[in-house]
Amino acid sequence: MLKAAVIGLGDISIIHIQALQTNPDIKLVALCDIDESLGKTFNEVNFYTDYQVMLEKEDLDCVHICLPHHLHYPVTKACMEKGVHVLQEKPLALNLEEALEMEKLEAKHEQVKVCVCLQNRFNETFEKLLNIVGGNEHGPVVGIKGVVAWYRPQNYYETKPWRGRMSEAGGGVMINQSIHTLDHMQLLGGSITSIRGSADQLLDYGIEVEDTVSAHIRFENGARGLFFATVANAGNSSVELEVWFEKVKYTIKDSLLIKEDESGEKEVLVEDSKLPGTKFYYGASHASLIHHFYDCIRNDSQDYIHIRDAVQSIRMIDAIHESSALKKEIYLEGEAR
């Protein structure tokens, strides 16, 4: 039986804990958070307020990192140096520089597996759409649109001030609410040549990070991408992802994958699983990703979302921030200018 621990007991940790507790091949043995009062909620496992003490005292197979963004790198590094596998919540890192340092760690500690929690890759709708694109049955992708229109009140940032600080969050709506959409766009579109973006604050919240972003993406294969994300909406609308081919369009919206032909006829192809009792935007794929990763640990498989797989979405976020600041198109490293 594999022994697991969770560091950081904020909102998302509950999803991780539930997944661990429902897997008969995993034993949750330790939890860690700086808030001592949270230890009373989980009497059946050892509780720590210092993750380094926990790593010294516990014999762990895997640690789940559910911490504020600025702590992802140092805590992941500490676990890797102890030879402990890591399931790290998104984002991979604060920025591209830190993400590339993480990639170096992955190369250095080849025996340690680090899975980045981009769980929406496991959504049934996205898996089906990615297979359609990869199968090339409609020819090349012509365009991709990703839209995230959500709402976050001012107290979202006031109750956890790190969310509004660039040095601790690495950004706002991009890195927190819509990184999955950026990840999906780059998987569907392939290599990116350049990005022209604008990051702004439409809400008067007094925070450092962006609350609204728009961007135009040029893919190496000639496809064009439109990305829009905001937390200034009146509520949390369904994320929308569109992929255009010459004669057909596919849309993921309201947890459905819909095919639309030239005549406008629509067909529902697949629907995502739902997880009752949780926020709709969490989806049901956390558990799928977590169970899959533990299978990879058990079978010594490399079939999981590596650090290197998660770098590109961070590169996109950095490019949009840079483009907005300089008011010009940014060419991504390694692509032709």
Side-chain angles (χ1 to χ4, degrees):
M1 182 172 289
L2 296 173
K3 296 177 181 178
V6 177
I7 305 177
L9 300 181
D11 295 344
I12 198 63
S13 68
I14 303 304
I15 303 295
H16 288 254
I17 291 169
Q18 288 174 346
L20 292 170
Q21 291 176 331
T22 57
N23 190 321
D25 297 320
I26 304 169
K27 184 177 181 180
L28 179 63
V29 298
L31 297 169
C32 181
D33 196 280
I34 57 173
D35 185 350
E36 267 187 271
S37 67
L38 295 175
K40 300 172 185 176
T41 311
F42 303 94
N43 294 321
E44 70 277 12
V45 298
N46 295 331
F47 182 82
Y48 297 87
T49 56
D50 186 327
Y51 73 89
Q52 292 175 322
V53 174
M54 184 190 77
L55 290 174
E56 287 293 334
K57 290 191 174 182
E58 298 286 347
D59 180 20
L60 299 168
D61 293 296
C62 184
V63 168
H64 292 235
I65 296 175
C66 301
L67 292 162
H69 303 169
H70 67 291
L71 297 174
H72 286 190
Y73 173 76
V75 181
T76 295
K77 182 174 184 287
C79 292
M80 294 179 78
E81 289 173 346
K82 285 286 184 183
V84 179
H85 303 300
V86 175
L87 201 156
Q88 188 210 76
E89 257 299 335
K90 58 82 180 169
L92 169 64
L94 278 177
N95 50 46
L96 181 58
E97 181 182 4
E98 194 173 80
L100 294 175
E101 287 300 312
M102 293 274 277
E103 198 170 9
K104 290 177 184 176
L105 280 175
E106 184 174 49
K108 182 179 179 182
H109 300 279
E110 292 181 352
Q111 77 284 4
V112 180
K113 302 182 193 300
V114 177
C115 177
V116 183
C117 200
L118 294 169
Q119 78 283 348
N120 287 356
R121 291 188 182 192
F122 283 72
N123 291 352
E124 292 92 337
T125 53
F126 182 72
E127 288 183 325
K128 177 70 172 177
L129 181 56
L130 192 61
N131 284 334
I132 290 168
V133 171
N136 203 34
E137 59 185 281
H138 303 296
V141 172
V142 174
I144 303 172
K145 182 182 79 174
V147 176
V148 180
W150 287 359
Y151 167 68
R152 291 294 180 271
Q154 190 164 355
N155 67 10
Y156 171 81
Y157 301 96
E158 291 174 345
T159 55
K160 295 185 177 179
W162 69 266
R163 290 170 170 162
R165 298 178 188 138
M166 188 62 76
S167 63
E168 294 176 68
V173 66
M174 281 192 288
I175 206 164
N176 229 343
Q177 283 78 35
S178 58
I179 193 169
H180 296 292
T181 299
L182 289 168
D183 180 54
H184 285 179
M185 292 180 76
Q186 62 92 16
L187 284 171
L188 293 164
S191 297
I192 295 171
T193 301
S194 65
I195 296 179
R196 178 69 164 89
S198 175
D200 205 351
Q201 295 171 336
L202 300 185
L203 302 168
D204 190 20
Y205 285 173
I207 57 177
E208 297 173 2
V209 301
E210 82 286 346
D211 61 44
T212 302
V213 168
S214 59
H216 179 254
I217 303 167
R218 295 184 187 275
F219 292 93
E220 196 175 71
N221 61 10
R224 299 170 62 181
L226 173 66
F227 170 69
F228 177 78
T230 186
V231 289
N233 196 19
N236 292 320
S237 297
S238 170
V239 174
E240 185 174 347
L241 187 65
E242 283 185 354
V243 175
W244 295 77
F245 297 91
E246 185 180 352
K247 295 183 178 181
V248 68
K249 179 179 74 171
Y250 289 86
T251 302
I252 296 177
K253 189 176 181 180
D254 296 322
S255 301
L256 301 171
L257 174 61
I258 300 168
K259 178 182 179 181
E260 183 177 350
D261 63 22
E262 285 184 293
S263 66
E265 186 175 341
K266 296 181 180 180
E267 177 189 1
V268 176
L269 300 182
V270 66
E271 182 175 4
D272 288 329
S273 301
K274 294 181 174 64
L275 193 63
T278 63
K279 299 172 183 177
F280 83 91
Y281 47 81
Y282 283 170
S285 294
H286 264 99
S288 298
L289 179 144
I290 290 167
H291 298 326
H292 178 78
F293 183 52
Y294 277 86
D295 285 342
C296 290
I297 293 173
R298 198 174 290 108
N299 300 318
D300 194 23
S301 167
Q302 296 297 311
D303 182 28
Y304 57 90
I305 303 171
H306 292 249
I307 286 173
R308 59 180 176 268
D309 302 319
V311 170
Q312 185 70 336
S313 56
I314 301 297
R315 181 178 278 113
M316 294 169 76
I317 290 169
D318 268 26
I320 293 171
H321 278 305
E322 184 180 1
S323 176
S324 183
L326 299 178
K327 300 190 184 306
K328 70 175 187 178
E329 188 173 20
I330 300 298
Y331 289 84
L332 271 64
E333 183 182 349
E335 304 293 350
R337 293 180 181 270

